Structures are given as C-alpha cells and as structure tokens.
Amino acid sequence: MGTVERRRWRGASALTLLCATALLAVSAMTGVAQAAPMPEPGAKSLEQVRQEIDELYRQAGTATDAYNLAESEAKAQSAKIVEIAKQVVAGQDRITALKNRAGAAARAQYRSGGMPAGAQLALSNSPSQFLDGADRIRQGEKATADLLSEMNRTQSDLQQYAKDATAQWEKLEANRIKQETSKKQIEEKIKSAESLESKLEAEEKARLIQLEQEAQYKAQTAWLSTGVLKEINSSASESGKKALQYATAQMGKPYVWGAEGPDSFDCSGLTSQAWRAAGKGIPRTSQEQLRLLPKVAIKDMRPGDLIIYFDDASHVGMYVGDGAMIHAPRPGRNVTLAGAGSMPIKAVVRPDA
C-alpha cells in the first residue's frame, strides 16, 4: 500500500470511527432509550417521526433556496434601477444642453435681423464672400440636422429607460412576492418539524439523534463500500485550500436559513462565502451553483469542490477529502463535518474549473 493510499485509508477509517464513536456515545447517554416502550397501535414509530422531520427540513431547504434566489435577483434588479436612474439624469442633462445649443442658434439668427442665411448670401456682392457663405450654410445645415438627430436619439433613449425601469420594478415586485411566499413556507416547515420534536420525551429526542446518525452512517458506509475512495485522488487547488480554510473555521456556528455569516450560515451561504473568501464569486444558492458551475465526475472530485445533494439540489456541502465534507446541515444543527456520501449525491461542481 502506497503513502497516498495509506493516508486515504486512515482518513476514511478515521471518519468511519468518528461516526461509530458518535453512535456509541449517544447510546451510552440514553441508556433506557434503547428499551423505549413500544408505540401504541396506530402511532408513528420514532423512525417515521425522524423521516417526517427530515423531509420537513429538506422542504424548508428547498424553500430557502427559492428565497435566497429571489433575494439575489432583487438585489440585482435594485442595482439596475439605480443605474437606469443615473442614465435618465444624464439623458435629461443632455437634452438641456442640446436645447441651450438650439437656443443659441436662434439668438444668433435674431441678431442678424432674422433674415435667413440663404437670403443674406443672395444679396452678397462679393464672389469670395458668396462662396464662404455657401460653405458656412452647408456647415450650419449639417450642424442643425445633427443637433435635431441627437435630440431625437436622446429623447428615444429616455423613453427606453422609462420602459426598462418599469420592467425592473415589475420584476422587483414579483421577487418580493416570491420572497414572502418562500419565507412563509420556510417558517411553516420549520415550525412543523419543531412541533414534532417538542412532543418527544428527552430520551426519545436522544434516540432521534441516534437514528439520524445511524441513517447517515449507513448511507456513508454503503457509499464507501463501492470503493469510490480508490478513484478519488486529486489534491486541492490553491483557491480550493483557501475556501476550505474559511469553511472549516466556521465549524460550530449555527444554521440559520438565509444567513451568509459571519455568525451563522445556511448550506449555500457557507459554500458561497467560503469561495468568496478564496477570491471567487459563485452563485448564492445550491440550485444555481448546480446550474451555473462546471460539473465534474465523483471520481475526479477534489477538496474544495461542492457536492450537491438530493434530486431538487436543495442542499450543498464542500468536499474536504478522505470521504468527508463540511456543511451547514439544517435548523437546530451547527456547521459540522459529515460523510460525503451520507446523503444522496446529485452532482459535484467545481467553482474554480
């Protein structure tokens, strides 16, 4: 076994040992929870409750992604409206300047007695004066035509700015409604999940955590049993190392939906801020990260890459190597290390491809 293989075997073994130790620790703490009374006929089992809670939090995660996307788009639209306002002001200033030029030409004609330039030219007795005047008339006509053309273009631009501003305001309002709808969904799902948990006894809550860890451990073990780590042997890029340093420094901070730090994070808030710290701006949500970032095969995964989970891309974590990832799990949990295969993997994306 080579040095790299030994290191990866030790890393994978360490993560497996970490999961197993956590399970044993919870078992030791709960004691009688292992012998919890059988549920009444028709009542939900603790495992069913766990699955229901997990599904509620996953749905809350989906709604959080929708909220974050609407918020991100609203910020972009607000910035666009500000830019349009600046263009309108510049256009109005331009119109004022053009009107001043037109007024100056009118005043000059008034000072000449109001006689058209062509008539003044016809009355000229000097051939050279006639030719010079003819040239000035052509220049004046072109200047007048250019002035009128520029005024028309500027007026047209102002009309387009007004249309653009209206469109952006409509989008902004639509996103405001999306945000309110998503926020309501998030709060309802989290409230439902918390209500289910609040009905459990202390030992049932401890057992619930154990069931959660067992499910993750089972999924991770199945993923590792495929021999996937034998194929994954890439090292982190320099920017990937910086992103990992940021992410790991946030361990222990609580999950809060919509949060981007510095004191709390949701899943995509953590990954987007980690890569921002590495000098690479990436989309705010896990769904947009999946849609816009280059995808890589799992066998080519390297530390710093983002792992997108579930069919609806509602969760994301950052691969740290040796079969592990770091993520902000869900409400009630803190940023932590977990098995990269502890949830269904949809895709892997690379921010610095």
PDB file of all heavy atoms in Angstrom, residues 109-124:
ATOM      1  N   GLN A 109     -29.491  84.089 -35.032  1.00  0.00           N
ATOM      2  CA  GLN A 109     -30.296  84.475 -36.200  1.00  0.00           C
ATOM      3  C   GLN A 109     -31.071  85.758 -35.911  1.00  0.00           C
ATOM      4  O   GLN A 109     -31.215  86.629 -36.777  1.00  0.00           O
ATOM      5  CB  GLN A 109     -31.259  83.354 -36.575  1.00  0.00           C
ATOM      6  CG  GLN A 109     -32.076  83.645 -37.838  1.00  0.00           C
ATOM      7  CD  GLN A 109     -32.928  82.466 -38.263  1.00  0.00           C
ATOM      8  OE1 GLN A 109     -32.787  81.390 -37.711  1.00  0.00           O
ATOM      9  NE2 GLN A 109     -33.778  82.686 -39.249  1.00  0.00           N
ATOM     10  N   TYR A 110     -31.527  85.909 -34.694  1.00  0.00           N
ATOM     11  CA  TYR A 110     -32.271  87.124 -34.327  1.00  0.00           C
ATOM     12  C   TYR A 110     -31.360  88.343 -34.427  1.00  0.00           C
ATOM     13  O   TYR A 110     -31.773  89.394 -34.938  1.00  0.00           O
ATOM     14  CB  TYR A 110     -32.811  86.975 -32.915  1.00  0.00           C
ATOM     15  CG  TYR A 110     -33.493  88.218 -32.397  1.00  0.00           C
ATOM     16  CD1 TYR A 110     -34.796  88.529 -32.793  1.00  0.00           C
ATOM     17  CD2 TYR A 110     -32.821  89.090 -31.538  1.00  0.00           C
ATOM     18  CE1 TYR A 110     -35.429  89.683 -32.336  1.00  0.00           C
ATOM     19  CE2 TYR A 110     -33.441  90.237 -31.084  1.00  0.00           C
ATOM     20  CZ  TYR A 110     -34.757  90.541 -31.481  1.00  0.00           C
ATOM     21  OH  TYR A 110     -35.350  91.684 -31.035  1.00  0.00           O
ATOM     22  N   ARG A 111     -30.088  88.166 -33.962  1.00  0.00           N
ATOM     23  CA  ARG A 111     -29.162  89.293 -34.009  1.00  0.00           C
ATOM     24  C   ARG A 111     -28.834  89.701 -35.439  1.00  0.00           C
ATOM     25  O   ARG A 111     -28.465  90.841 -35.716  1.00  0.00           O
ATOM     26  CB  ARG A 111     -27.872  88.935 -33.257  1.00  0.00           C
ATOM     27  CG  ARG A 111     -28.059  88.940 -31.732  1.00  0.00           C
ATOM     28  CD  ARG A 111     -26.719  88.930 -31.041  1.00  0.00           C
ATOM     29  NE  ARG A 111     -25.976  87.712 -31.312  1.00  0.00           N
ATOM     30  CZ  ARG A 111     -26.070  86.601 -30.579  1.00  0.00           C
ATOM     31  NH1 ARG A 111     -26.882  86.571 -29.538  1.00  0.00           N
ATOM     32  NH2 ARG A 111     -25.379  85.534 -30.891  1.00  0.00           N
ATOM     33  N   SER A 112     -28.967  88.757 -36.377  1.00  0.00           N
ATOM     34  CA  SER A 112     -28.671  89.079 -37.780  1.00  0.00           C
ATOM     35  C   SER A 112     -29.871  89.702 -38.484  1.00  0.00           C
ATOM     36  O   SER A 112     -29.886  89.848 -39.704  1.00  0.00           O
ATOM     37  CB  SER A 112     -28.242  87.810 -38.530  1.00  0.00           C
ATOM     38  OG  SER A 112     -29.329  86.911 -38.619  1.00  0.00           O
ATOM     39  N   GLY A 113     -30.872  90.041 -37.712  1.00  0.00           N
ATOM     40  CA  GLY A 113     -32.043  90.692 -38.290  1.00  0.00           C
ATOM     41  C   GLY A 113     -33.129  89.721 -38.663  1.00  0.00           C
ATOM     42  O   GLY A 113     -34.143  90.098 -39.253  1.00  0.00           O
ATOM     43  N   GLY A 114     -32.939  88.475 -38.332  1.00  0.00           N
ATOM     44  CA  GLY A 114     -33.946  87.483 -38.619  1.00  0.00           C
ATOM     45  C   GLY A 114     -33.968  87.045 -40.058  1.00  0.00           C
ATOM     46  O   GLY A 114     -34.816  86.267 -40.469  1.00  0.00           O
ATOM     47  N   MET A 115     -33.027  87.584 -40.888  1.00  0.00           N
ATOM     48  CA  MET A 115     -33.003  87.209 -42.303  1.00  0.00           C
ATOM     49  C   MET A 115     -32.353  85.844 -42.460  1.00  0.00           C
ATOM     50  O   MET A 115     -31.274  85.612 -41.919  1.00  0.00           O
ATOM     51  CB  MET A 115     -32.215  88.252 -43.108  1.00  0.00           C
ATOM     52  CG  MET A 115     -32.236  88.018 -44.619  1.00  0.00           C
ATOM     53  SD  MET A 115     -31.323  89.290 -45.504  1.00  0.00           S
ATOM     54  CE  MET A 115     -32.381  90.702 -45.208  1.00  0.00           C
ATOM     55  N   PRO A 116     -32.993  84.950 -43.188  1.00  0.00           N
ATOM     56  CA  PRO A 116     -32.393  83.631 -43.388  1.00  0.00           C
ATOM     57  C   PRO A 116     -31.014  83.736 -44.013  1.00  0.00           C
ATOM     58  O   PRO A 116     -30.729  84.653 -44.800  1.00  0.00           O
ATOM     59  CB  PRO A 116     -33.368  82.942 -44.336  1.00  0.00           C
ATOM     60  CG  PRO A 116     -34.647  83.662 -44.141  1.00  0.00           C
ATOM     61  CD  PRO A 116     -34.263  85.091 -43.865  1.00  0.00           C
ATOM     62  N   ALA A 117     -30.156  82.816 -43.714  1.00  0.00           N
ATOM     63  CA  ALA A 117     -28.788  82.837 -44.224  1.00  0.00           C
ATOM     64  C   ALA A 117     -28.760  82.803 -45.738  1.00  0.00           C
ATOM     65  O   ALA A 117     -27.932  83.451 -46.387  1.00  0.00           O
ATOM     66  CB  ALA A 117     -27.998  81.654 -43.654  1.00  0.00           C
ATOM     67  N   GLY A 118     -29.676  82.065 -46.354  1.00  0.00           N
ATOM     68  CA  GLY A 118     -29.720  81.979 -47.815  1.00  0.00           C
ATOM     69  C   GLY A 118     -30.010  83.330 -48.453  1.00  0.00           C
ATOM     70  O   GLY A 118     -29.427  83.690 -49.480  1.00  0.00           O
ATOM     71  N   ALA A 119     -30.924  84.095 -47.848  1.00  0.00           N
ATOM     72  CA  ALA A 119     -31.247  85.418 -48.389  1.00  0.00           C
ATOM     73  C   ALA A 119     -30.070  86.356 -48.248  1.00  0.00           C
ATOM     74  O   ALA A 119     -29.758  87.153 -49.168  1.00  0.00           O
ATOM     75  CB  ALA A 119     -32.473  85.979 -47.665  1.00  0.00           C
ATOM     76  N   GLN A 120     -29.368  86.299 -47.082  1.00  0.00           N
ATOM     77  CA  GLN A 120     -28.194  87.146 -46.894  1.00  0.00           C
ATOM     78  C   GLN A 120     -27.135  86.809 -47.933  1.00  0.00           C
ATOM     79  O   GLN A 120     -26.452  87.692 -48.468  1.00  0.00           O
ATOM     80  CB  GLN A 120     -27.631  86.946 -45.488  1.00  0.00           C
ATOM     81  CG  GLN A 120     -28.576  87.405 -44.372  1.00  0.00           C
ATOM     82  CD  GLN A 120     -27.972  87.179 -43.008  1.00  0.00           C
ATOM     83  OE1 GLN A 120     -26.761  87.337 -42.836  1.00  0.00           O
ATOM     84  NE2 GLN A 120     -28.806  86.819 -42.042  1.00  0.00           N
ATOM     85  N   LEU A 121     -27.007  85.548 -48.256  1.00  0.00           N
ATOM     86  CA  LEU A 121     -25.998  85.121 -49.221  1.00  0.00           C
ATOM     87  C   LEU A 121     -26.344  85.642 -50.627  1.00  0.00           C
ATOM     88  O   LEU A 121     -25.463  86.109 -51.364  1.00  0.00           O
ATOM     89  CB  LEU A 121     -25.914  83.591 -49.228  1.00  0.00           C
ATOM     90  CG  LEU A 121     -24.888  82.962 -50.191  1.00  0.00           C
ATOM     91  CD1 LEU A 121     -23.473  83.414 -49.839  1.00  0.00           C
ATOM     92  CD2 LEU A 121     -24.999  81.445 -50.142  1.00  0.00           C
ATOM     93  N   ALA A 122     -27.617  85.606 -51.007  1.00  0.00           N
ATOM     94  CA  ALA A 122     -28.030  86.057 -52.345  1.00  0.00           C
ATOM     95  C   ALA A 122     -27.779  87.536 -52.550  1.00  0.00           C
ATOM     96  O   ALA A 122     -27.531  88.000 -53.679  1.00  0.00           O
ATOM     97  CB  ALA A 122     -29.505  85.736 -52.547  1.00  0.00           C
ATOM     98  N   LEU A 123     -27.803  88.297 -51.446  1.00  0.00           N
ATOM     99  CA  LEU A 123     -27.592  89.741 -51.543  1.00  0.00           C
ATOM    100  C   LEU A 123     -26.124  90.133 -51.497  1.00  0.00           C
ATOM    101  O   LEU A 123     -25.786  91.324 -51.592  1.00  0.00           O
ATOM    102  CB  LEU A 123     -28.349  90.445 -50.398  1.00  0.00           C
ATOM    103  CG  LEU A 123     -29.889  90.313 -50.453  1.00  0.00           C
ATOM    104  CD1 LEU A 123     -30.506  90.920 -49.210  1.00  0.00           C
ATOM    105  CD2 LEU A 123     -30.435  90.971 -51.716  1.00  0.00           C
ATOM    106  N   SER A 124     -25.273  89.161 -51.364  1.00  0.00           N
ATOM    107  CA  SER A 124     -23.842  89.458 -51.265  1.00  0.00           C
ATOM    108  C   SER A 124     -23.304  89.908 -52.622  1.00  0.00           C
ATOM    109  O   SER A 124     -23.656  89.356 -53.671  1.00  0.00           O
ATOM    110  CB  SER A 124     -23.082  88.211 -50.795  1.00  0.00           C
ATOM    111  OG  SER A 124     -21.703  88.452 -50.834  1.00  0.00           O
TER     112      SER A 124
END
